[in-house]
Amino acid sequence: MGLVPMADILEKANDEYYAVGGFNINNMEFLQGIIWAAEETNSPLILQASEGAIKYIGMDYVINMVKAAVRDTHIPVALHLDHGSSYEVIMRCIREGFSSVMYDGSKYPFKQNIRLTKEVVKAAHSVGVTVEAELGKIGGTEDDVDVDEKDAKFTKPEEAEEFVEKTGVDALAIAIGTAHGVYKGDPELDFDRLEKINSSLNMPLVLHGASGVPDEDVRKAVSMGINKVNVNTAFQQAFTAKIKELFDKDPELYDPRKYCGPARDAISEAVKEKIEILGSKNRA
Ligand code: 13P
């Protein structure tokens, strides 16, 4: 089928009140485990790569592995840059064939975030590529980016409307109490804030840091207007737990296929569970 713009996937999700997973790829096993699960459940899919993952895997490998993965697929798949930090990185991803990019200007003051995001939107939209932006600041750790709890900032509903109107973004990542990485306790989501943001913006909203958020809270957020849910850590944990389990049973294991294969299956199982929760099953 080839890659599709993320906007097409999210527009349908927004119209029909479900969410699609923005699932991070860290290596080939992640890519296969994720796409096989989405195909089996007949779900649309957003494969995303962070700058750290692109550095680790290599841009050529990311693009060509994903192209191989989608060549014969029957489900709509977007390839999305997660947390793009600069115009240059974003332009490179667009040139290489990403169908969607996130520009994360959340570390800048409001007006500067608007100005920088707008430049990205102009360039991306001219070639049919979708743009996600972030307003407020999501805490936690992802790759080398560490946002201390005290620096995390919730999205202000009154700013969200102005931000979207001035930038023209297709999807907005909002900060309502989630964080990237492993939580110390259960996160507390600010559903009132979500309701306010969603009532003023009829557009796809994105929940980052969904690993470790209780399933009922994810379901509730989806029912209140979240259309893209990002998960990375939970699948990393599933992958690593399976490898640990196998080495505990047999410390002499040496063939990577004997532990990476089952770990890939563990990712698939975890992805299928998330797809059920998000409601994207049979929406391809
Ligand atoms: P987690 O790693 O906490 O699941 O967050 C993923 C994410 O939001 C990617 O942008």
Side-chain angles (χ1 to χ4, degrees), residues 6 8 11 17 30 33 42 44 83 91 93-94 96 107 140 151 171 183-184 199 203 208 220 226-227 239 257 265 267:
M6 187 171 78
D8 294 359
E11 201 178 312
Y17 303 97
F30 272 70
N42 195 31
H83 293 281
M91 287 309 117
C93 288
I94 292 176
E96 297 285 350
K107 62 176 181 283
D151 296 324
Y183 289 96
K184 289 183 194 101
S199 65
M203 68 179 297
H208 281 240
K220 188 169 173 188
I226 293 289
N227 296 120
F239 186 80
R257 293 169 298 184
D265 293 342
I267 292 180

Side-chain angles (χ1 to χ4, degrees), residues 31-51:
L31 170 60
Q32 292 177 327
I34 292 168
I35 195 163
W36 293 345
E39 284 172 339
E40 208 183 308
T41 51
N42 195 31
S43 166
L45 175 65
I46 299 158
L47 288 168
Q48 51 189 27
S50 65
E51 288 181 23

Side-chain angles (χ1 to χ4, degrees), residues 74-110:
H74 70 283
I75 57 168
V77 180
L79 175 59
H80 175 74
L81 169 68
D82 191 24
H83 293 281
S85 63
S86 71
Y87 189 83
E88 290 67 36
V89 171
I90 282 171
M91 287 309 117
R92 171 149 192 246
C93 288
I94 292 176
R95 274 199 305 276
E96 297 285 350
F98 278 61
S99 62
S100 177
V101 290
M102 174 183 187
Y103 174 65
D104 180 358
S106 63
K107 62 176 181 283
Y108 297 113
F110 183 59

Side-chain angles (χ1 to χ4, degrees), residues 127-144:
V127 287
V129 169
T130 306
V131 181
E132 172 184 335
E134 179 170 323
L135 186 62
K137 201 174 203 184
I138 296 156
T141 305
E142 195 187 25
D143 286 344
D144 305 330

Side-chain angles (χ1 to χ4, degrees), residues 263-276:
R264 177 176 61 187
D265 293 342
I267 292 180
S268 271
E269 286 313 307
V271 170
K272 281 189 260 178
E273 280 170 27
K274 288 285 180 227
I275 284 174
E276 284 279 353

Side-chain angles (χ1 to χ4, degrees), residues 24 48 82-83 142 179-181 208-211 230-234:
N24 287 69
Q48 51 189 27
D82 191 24
H83 293 281
E142 195 187 25
H180 294 114
H208 281 240
S211 300
N230 286 7
V231 183
N232 186 21
T233 303

Side-chain angles (χ1 to χ4, degrees), residues 172 174 194 197-198 201 203-207 225-228:
L172 186 67
I174 55 170
L194 171 57
I197 297 170
N198 191 51
L201 298 174
M203 68 179 297
L205 299 174
V206 185
L207 189 71
I226 293 289
N227 296 120
K228 174 175 181 262

